[in-house]
Amino acid sequence: MQSQDGSKLSRSRELGQTLQNLNHNRYPHVPNPPGCKKRASVALIIRVRPTFPDTASFDTSACGLAVGSDQERLNAFFTQEWVQRGDPEVLFIKRAARKGDRWTSHIAFPGGGRDPEDKDDLAASIRETREEIGMDLEANHCLNVGNLSERVITAWLGKTPLMVLCPFVFLQMRVDTEPLTLQPTEVHSAHWVSLRALTSPYLHNYIRSDVSQPFGRSDSDFIQPLTRLLFGQVLIKGIDLVPTESVYCNSGADLLPSGPRVSTSASGLLSFLSSARTTWENPSQKLILWGLTLGIMSDFLRILPSCDPSRLWAWPTLSHVDHQFSIWLFTYAYRKQKLREIESSCPASDTKIGGASGPGELDDTTFTTFQARSRKEVQDSALLEMLGGYYDRARTAVFLTLLLRIGAGGLLAAWGVREVRNRRFQKL
């Protein structure tokens, strides 16, 4: 019991220091690249679940808006005993299933596109969160802690920019809030997940995603079978989410499964080429964190000194074996170099706080130094920068693999034609 309490105290203090640093050091604004006008904002919302809810209360005089300084509000919040012994959690949503939507049924943070009437990107995240889940991030018990690195989003293996994504971090300082009100056309469900669960290796998984999305509509009758034949599917690292609390939208069309049932044991070339996606999904289906949202979450976990976010993800690849081998070969040296850079940026695991025992605990000087190093390295979003160089090499590998396929196919066809001619000649 004492070790568990010590671990909670360590996580709480580490989270408090991280949020204070984010509040003090804001990431710079990233302008839209030429030809890309869309901007979107998301809200990474954190709360602390108390071990004993009866002892948890929101101290308005110390943590409310009237206090003035964000740093003072953060200090007051994280010095409360119920917070120090609580379990930090993050809020995720599962988007509603919508045909033709690039992000249909994905796990995400609340948020969406910036409208012309929005004052800035922060205002867009606040408005979208209110519309999607009914949470008021401008309330007395909520605090805009800061932001994470803004990033230009492109399609998989593509260079055409889709939008600039701006993640903002918020802290909800009370747990006795009104239930979330989900927008049924946009949100299927909302889930609070412990930070501890996000770093557990036992919950890591892989998912398959269609390669056809960068080239056109994901439900195209022609594009999807063609790209699946040439490339297979994208294999991407994911995390199985285990919520501590969930809210479902009971008025959404996708609450209950309907329509034809898709077999997971399809066989034959026709079944392989046909779409493996389902338009309607059962709410009891696994919740898997991956893609953009996992990248944002990894950026946040990276600035927690005790966490190594490189373990949360793996280099994306394709399901066809020949593509897998060529991508592995062409990116081998690059991957090794980047992983060494990540390891060199992490502090020693046995660092201690002011003489206190416990792995992964940092004194204020070491913590500030680590944060400064991490900020410099993730200024342009570390994982996205790594994937950018990775994708450049992966594109080359895929292109050469396709050329080898064409060459092998040509040689096989020439051999077949020669065999046919030889047999005809022998018959004569």
Side-chain angles (χ1 to χ4, degrees):
M1 179 65 69
Q2 290 181 353
S3 62
Q4 292 180 355
D5 289 344
S7 177
K8 288 184 177 180
L9 288 171
S10 174
R11 287 196 303 270
S12 177
R13 178 173 182 180
E14 181 182 80
L15 176 63
Q17 290 176 314
T18 299
L19 296 183
Q20 288 175 0
N21 186 273
L22 276 179
N23 182 261
H24 184 71
N25 299 285
R26 303 266 173 163
Y27 283 91
H29 172 77
V30 174
N32 285 68
C36 177
K37 297 182 179 180
K38 185 176 181 180
R39 299 184 70 86
S41 301
V42 296
L44 195 164
I45 305 170
I46 301 172
R47 76 174 184 183
V48 177
R49 174 179 289 273
T51 303
F52 304 102
D54 294 340
T55 64
S57 62
F58 175 63
D59 189 350
T60 305
S61 62
C63 305
L65 290 172
V67 174
S69 169
D70 291 345
Q71 292 285 334
E72 293 177 355
R73 295 179 68 187
L74 285 170
N75 286 332
F77 178 73
F78 282 99
T79 54
Q80 299 177 94
E81 184 176 358
W82 73 268
V83 175
Q84 294 178 352
R85 299 185 181 279
D87 194 20
E89 298 178 335
V90 179
L91 179 65
F92 297 95
I93 64 171
K94 181 179 181 182
R95 298 210 166 274
R98 295 189 294 183
K99 191 174 183 179
D101 182 7
R102 182 186 296 272
W103 320 111
T104 180
S105 300
H106 283 198
I107 297 298
F109 294 118
R114 177 175 171 177
D115 290 344
E117 60 268 20
D118 292 325
K119 178 182 177 182
D120 50 25
D121 296 319
L122 174 61
S125 68
I126 295 174
R127 175 187 56 78
E128 284 285 344
T129 301
R130 183 184 297 112
E131 294 176 356
E132 289 186 346
I133 63 175
M135 180 183 292
D136 184 9
L137 295 177
E138 295 180 303
N140 191 41
H141 60 273
C142 291
L143 172 63
N144 170 224
V145 176
N147 68 330
L148 297 174
S149 177
E150 300 179 2
R151 71 280 323 268
V152 178
I153 303 303
T154 61
W156 194 87
L157 283 182
K159 290 188 175 182
T160 303
L162 301 176
M163 63 180 173
V164 177
L165 183 61
C166 310
F168 294 91
V169 181
F170 295 86
L171 176 65
Q172 180 179 284
M173 295 184 282
R174 62 185 303 172
V175 292
D176 56 339
T177 56
E178 295 182 358
L180 300 177
T181 305
L182 309 185
Q183 170 57 254
T185 60
E186 298 188 33
V187 181
H188 170 273
S189 53
H191 309 272
W192 288 101
V193 179
S194 171
L195 279 177
R196 291 183 293 112
L198 295 175
T199 58
S200 172
Y202 302 103
L203 298 176
H204 293 185
N205 202 345
Y206 283 89
I207 68 166
R208 292 173 176 258
S209 177
D210 284 317
V211 192
S212 57
Q213 292 187 14
F215 303 101
R217 291 174 59 86
S218 61
D219 56 348
S220 171
D221 294 334
F222 171 74
I223 295 295
Q224 189 178 63
L226 178 61
T227 55
R228 187 170 295 185
L229 176 64
L230 293 176
F231 306 105
Q233 292 179 302
V234 186
L235 300 180
I236 306 176
K237 186 69 173 287
I239 299 177
D240 292 333
L241 297 184
V242 181
T244 59
E245 180 182 338
S246 298
V247 178
Y248 291 92
C249 183
N250 59 6
S251 60
D254 58 342
L255 176 65
L256 298 175
S258 62
R261 194 171 188 176
V262 179
S263 174
T264 57
S265 59
S267 60
L269 180 61
L270 183 60
S271 298
F272 169 76
L273 295 178
S274 64
S275 173
R277 291 188 171 195
T278 56
T279 303
W280 310 110
E281 296 181 319
N282 193 318
S284 63
Q285 184 182 6
K286 278 188 175 182
L287 304 170
I288 302 180
L289 174 65
W290 66 284
L292 291 178
T293 309
L294 177 57
I296 296 172
M297 196 69 239
S298 297
D299 281 353
F300 177 78
L301 293 175
R302 180 177 173 81
I303 57 180
L304 293 175
S306 64
C307 177
D308 179 7
S310 64
R311 299 178 181 177
L312 302 181
W313 65 288
W315 302 94
T317 187
L318 295 175
S319 57
H320 286 180
V321 177
D322 54 349
H323 282 310
Q324 284 188 24
F325 177 75
S326 62
I327 291 175
W328 175 85
L329 184 64
F330 274 77
T331 62
Y332 181 81
Y334 179 82
R335 289 183 286 110
K336 290 296 183 182
Q337 174 190 348
K338 290 301 179 180
L339 290 177
R340 283 196 298 266
E341 292 177 2
I342 287 183
E343 292 175 357
S344 64
S345 69
C346 294
S349 60
D350 58 350
T351 313
K352 304 180 184 302
I353 296 180
S357 60
E361 298 183 344
L362 306 177
D363 57 43
D364 293 338
T365 302
T366 307
F367 183 87
T368 304
T369 303
F370 170 77
Q371 291 278 33
R373 292 172 62 186
S374 296
R375 175 164 296 278
K376 181 178 183 299
E377 289 159 6
V378 301
Q379 195 69 35
D380 297 318
S381 184
L383 296 184
L384 288 178
E385 182 181 355
M386 290 170 61
L387 287 176
Y390 175 81
Y391 285 154
D392 290 338
R393 291 159 176 80
R395 273 191 295 268
T396 302
V398 170
F399 177 73
L400 291 178
T401 301
L402 293 178
L403 289 181
L404 288 175
R405 284 184 181 180
I406 295 174
L411 291 175
L412 183 62
W415 176 82
V417 171
R418 188 181 65 177
E419 287 295 315
V420 171
R421 287 179 177 177
N422 290 338
R423 290 182 181 181
R424 287 182 178 179
F425 179 77
Q426 291 175 359
K427 289 181 179 179
L428 296 177

